[in-house]
Amino acid sequence: MFTLKGNRLPAADVKNIIFFVRPRLELMDIIAENVLSEDRRGPTRDFHILFVPRRSLLCEQRLKDLGVLGSFIHREEYSLDLIPFDGDLLSMESEGAFKECYLEGDQTSLYHAAKGLMTLQALYGTIPQIFGKGECARQVANMMIRMKREFTGSQNLIFPVFDNLLLLDRNVDLLTPLATQLTYEGLIDEIYGIQNSYVKLPPEKFAPKKQGDGGKDLPTEAKKLQLNSAEELYAEIRDKNFNAVGSVLSKKAKIISAAFEERHNAKTVGEIKQFVSQLPHMQAARGSLANHTSIAELIKDVTTSEDFFDKLTVEQEFMSGIDTDKVNNYIEDCIAQKHSLIKVLRLVCLQSVCNSGLKQKVLDYYKREILQTYGYEHILTLHNLEKAGLLKPQTGGRNNYPTIRKTLRLWMDDVNEQNPTDISYVYSGYAPLSVRLAQLLSRPGWRSIEEVLRILPGPHFEERQPLPTGLQKKRQPGENRVTLIFFLGGVTFAEIAALRFLSQLEDGGTEYVIATTKLMNGTSWIEALMEKPF
Amino acid sequence: MGLRMNRTKGDEEEYWNSSKFKAFTFDDEDDELSQLKESKRAVNSLRDFVDDDDDDDLERVSWSGEPVGSRTRPGSFQSLSDALSDTPAKSYAPELGRPKGEYRDYSNDWSPSDTVRRLRKGKVCSLERFRSLQDKLQLLEEAVSMHDGNVITAVLIFLKRTLSKEILFRELEVRQVALRHLIHFLKEIGDQKLLLDLFRFLDRTEELALSHYREHLNIQDPDKRKEFLKTCIGLPFSAEDSAHIQDHYTLLERQIIIEANDRHLESAGQTEIFRKHPRKASILNMPLVTTLFYSCFYHYTEAEGTFSSPVNLKKTFKIPDKQYVLTALAARAKLRAWNDVDALFTTKNWLGYTKKRAPIGFHRVVEILHKNNAPVQILQEYVNLVEDVDTKLNLATKFKCHDVVIDTCRDLKDRQQLLAYRSKVDKGSAEEEKIDALLSSSQIRWKN
């Protein structure tokens, strides 16, 4: 398998070439280049194209305009709507979904979400109850109901795995992705960016230590690591607050050390044989520990820096409702020192969301500073942010955030990072609004927060999907419900950690499986909303 | 012709069924075959849910990858776009024969909802017979209720071609979903002209303005870009944005003049500043603050009358004092022009006394000076001006401004801290002596 690149196709002794792509226009240009660069003197090869998850009329039109459409023998689609990232996590990996849904009103991603859900139901049974909050959630539910109606004739006889489906619009909780995540996995994503479960890290800390080499063998290519729950240690620490990771790693180091020391106690042939058989597992554990110790060191360099502390302080002030109505000194300093634009945008948007919009004077001030420092062309991005509700003027002079914060208990002063008792540990004090909504839906139900739900954007609703008799679920006492929670517009690793925390609570009552249009963080989110040249 | 690769069937099987990389799976049972069987069962159960009335058009493939039967699916989407598009097909690729069966479904009897359903399955469907406006609108309504992006796009392309602009716009104005889809479609294919016409018709004036302005990102030539920006002035932006757009144009206009002039000066080789610090990049399209920095660096002493003087920039773009002082400081500090730095903060009052003041905190001044490796004496002078005592002490300690630390500890009457600081100064230095003198002084009432 080769990555799609311009110009000539890589040399390979094959007869068939299949392009396996998302239906994006710019990719069609690259494909056309590949096809047109084919060496006519060589044996002709057959071209095929597979669009994921759907064919696109516009893409095929583009291929036609570029003169290569006729070169393809097969033009098909591969409906991979939801991709499993872990045992409890699925994503459509659709980068454009948020912008399309909330800025352009384009429902294509919602259509794919609905289709993905239909596939899930085909495999795991009809979901008896659907809850939702938000315009897009409503649309997806409508599509699901309509799709089910169209597939009449055969009943789904699979015993349902899910009790509930909860559809949530991202714009019901615009706050959470803007704050800096503080779980181990969240910080890796914030600092280095996790792509498709892989992370690229600076290689220096991962070079094997050789005696007397003088460092001349230092690798120059980034160290690429795969991160998922198959790695035992990672599964243990990924969702912890970063401040709790150190003690786990040092405990692990002692256990592994002790395990290796056991070789001294192995006397008989049988004992030696047993020790040797366990060696691969121990070596893997030791390698895993070494990697994560290095990663933790890299993260610590960032989290102990003065700037990280200052930024976090400002974020937490905003989230706890302090001084959200005036120009913030730290943000001003960041602009003056020309820190990364996205960093600045995340902070001003956070302030705006925590204030239900900024006073016109404050907003105009920030906008002017930003445009003068980073360039006037960013008017376009600022406009997108306003359209998304992230950075806007306050209307009606009312700040609703304190009500929401107090009713949903979003800011928790006493947080236990080591042994958390509440989901607010993932941001060291702030409980993700979206996860709170899920938590309250499970117990005691949304009727208890009617007022807040009315303040949050979009309708909230409940639908039932009838099950054939005999398939009704009867839960044993103590058995957990299973809820599939679908974030329409993106989800962060911190929110995933918070949901996993709820899942493993002793008497939580609900286990969660998480689905989304995209795994994201504040940076990738804002980046997708920036206007770039065509 | 030697087109066939020298491969046996068995080799092909092995090629398709083997892999360099073992895919990651979450199940403990690593039995690939049983997994395959599971998914096959699940997917086959899906077929009941797929609208499947034309079996023979579907290509069936067995799990080993071999096609069942030898039919290839006709490129129906291509025919669809052929039927709809008014651009002639250009093809540079080798012509491949198209199966004869392609046009066999060309029928005149499909209703709008049937048509739309066929479009969704990618079948050939001529839309030409939907002649009346009412028929076309019904077709659109069916497409929209299906939520299928491709189908809606196909119908919109047809309507765009067969309806006048005014009628199309008027009808879509009251059909939100289709309207949004059209806007998205026009953006994607880059039909800027029609998009702007649409915004104008809908009286979405701000969007019209922004959409037009966005085009400037694609114009590389600075003069052309400047001319384009001129056309953006006066468009219906919000009041605030209008001012910014005007500034954008004015800035680029200035930058072009400055750039031409400076490039000339640089190549002439007579101007010292350019010889000592050759320019690393052009000033074109740089943000305002960067331009100001450049001007403070290369044109600091110029009179207000020139386009490149800092004072002129400050006046033209109404740059606040704070921003101006910060930028000028950064530029002069970089050049190690400490006298200029001094002058920035010195004001004479009416009695003729000089005093130092700054529209930004002096702690910021100190940081910028330190970043530019200012000598300790200069740093010290400005650390002394920091108002907040704690910050002053912090910075003095951080930047090793010994005298300031000592004096501040003395003023705070903090003996312990002074004692602790003693170990940080060089042995036998004047600072150590000063500390000892203070510590042994009977005049000071130490608080600890």
Side-chain angles (χ1 to χ4, degrees), chain B residues 2-275:
Chain B
L3 289 180
R4 277 220 79 67
M5 299 290 150
N6 281 333
R7 269 228 183 100
T8 63
K9 187 110 138 354
D11 285 347
E12 293 240 349
E13 288 272 327
E14 204 198 273
Y15 178 80
W16 284 110
N17 289 327
S18 68
S19 170
K20 228 191 333 180
F21 300 101
K22 194 151 167 34
F24 173 77
T25 56
F26 294 105
D27 292 329
D28 286 331
E29 317 150 32
D30 249 351
D31 184 356
E32 285 185 59
L33 184 59
S34 70
Q35 286 179 335
L36 218 51
K37 280 193 181 141
E38 261 274 28
S39 356
K40 182 180 178 180
R41 214 181 313 131
V43 172
N44 280 340
S45 72
L46 268 180
R47 292 193 58 209
D48 295 338
F49 296 96
V50 173
D51 209 355
D52 209 12
D53 56 355
D54 279 302
D55 273 352
D56 35 43
D57 272 10
L58 231 63
E59 174 161 71
R60 307 232 203 103
V61 172
S62 78
W63 281 104
S64 62
E66 276 192 292
V68 173
S70 56
R71 248 1 164 352
T72 47
R73 195 208 271 225
S76 45
F77 251 61
Q78 184 196 1
S79 324
L80 174 62
S81 41
D82 266 345
L84 302 180
S85 143
D86 27 22
T87 58
K90 295 174 284 177
S91 186
Y92 305 119
E95 282 294 321
L96 296 167
R98 270 175 231 146
K100 281 216 182 73
E102 201 164 67
Y103 291 97
R104 61 189 165 91
D105 290 293
Y106 204 94
S107 156
N108 282 330
D109 289 342
W110 306 103
S111 69
S113 54
D114 285 335
T115 306
V116 157
R117 222 168 274 131
R118 293 184 67 77
L119 283 177
R120 182 169 72 175
K121 282 189 281 177
K123 295 205 200 317
V124 180
C125 237
S126 162
L127 303 180
E128 300 302 323
R129 52 196 192 74
F130 292 99
R131 291 220 146 74
S132 72
L133 179 61
Q134 192 183 25
D135 283 345
K136 289 175 180 159
L137 291 177
Q138 205 185 349
L139 184 64
L140 181 63
E141 236 125 80
E142 288 289 333
V144 166
S145 64
M146 190 150 272
H147 298 292
D148 185 325
N150 280 331
V151 176
I152 301 176
T153 302
V155 173
L156 284 175
I157 292 177
F158 169 62
L159 293 185
K160 177 175 172 253
R161 189 163 55 87
T162 60
L163 287 176
S164 78
K165 203 169 58 177
E166 291 71 34
I167 298 182
L168 177 67
F169 289 175
R170 189 191 71 209
E171 293 301 332
L172 286 187
E173 189 175 13
V174 295
R175 293 174 170 83
Q176 280 305 308
V177 176
L179 176 64
R180 284 187 216 132
H181 207 96
L182 178 66
I183 293 174
H184 183 80
F185 162 66
L186 291 176
K187 277 189 190 157
E188 256 200 281
I189 61 166
D191 190 340
Q192 189 69 358
K193 186 175 176 314
L194 195 61
L195 185 64
L196 293 180
D197 286 343
L198 179 57
F199 283 144
R200 216 170 283 122
F201 175 85
L202 296 168
D203 209 28
R204 278 156 65 154
T205 50
E206 205 181 353
E207 249 177 293
L208 168 66
L210 286 164
S211 212
H212 179 77
Y213 173 69
R214 186 167 178 245
E215 282 284 305
H216 86 272
L217 291 170
N218 295 328
I219 304 173
Q220 301 310 326
D221 176 74
D223 284 293
K224 292 206 177 87
R225 190 184 274 207
K226 179 192 77 165
E227 286 311 310
F228 180 83
L229 286 174
K230 200 167 185 185
T231 68
C232 298
I233 301 174
L235 288 180
F237 292 102
S238 69
E240 279 290 320
D241 284 346
S242 289
H244 294 309
I245 301 286
Q246 172 74 58
D247 282 349
H248 190 175
Y249 165 73
T250 312
L251 181 62
L252 182 56
E253 188 188 46
R254 297 284 168 98
Q255 286 171 339
I256 292 175
I257 297 171
I258 297 174
E259 178 68 23
N261 194 49
D262 285 1
R263 204 168 326 140
H264 178 77
L265 284 177
E266 214 172 9
S267 52
Q270 302 293 335
T271 324
E272 191 183 337
I273 185 74
F274 288 112
R275 280 207 327 264

Side-chain angles (χ1 to χ4, degrees), chain A residues 276-302:
Chain A
V276 167
S277 73
Q278 288 179 340
L279 260 181
H281 178 80
M282 287 158 56
Q283 279 163 342
R286 187 168 56 180
S288 172
L289 178 67
N291 279 338
H292 288 292
T293 306
S294 297
I295 297 177
E297 278 170 16
L298 286 169
I299 294 179
K300 213 171 168 72
D301 284 341
V302 173

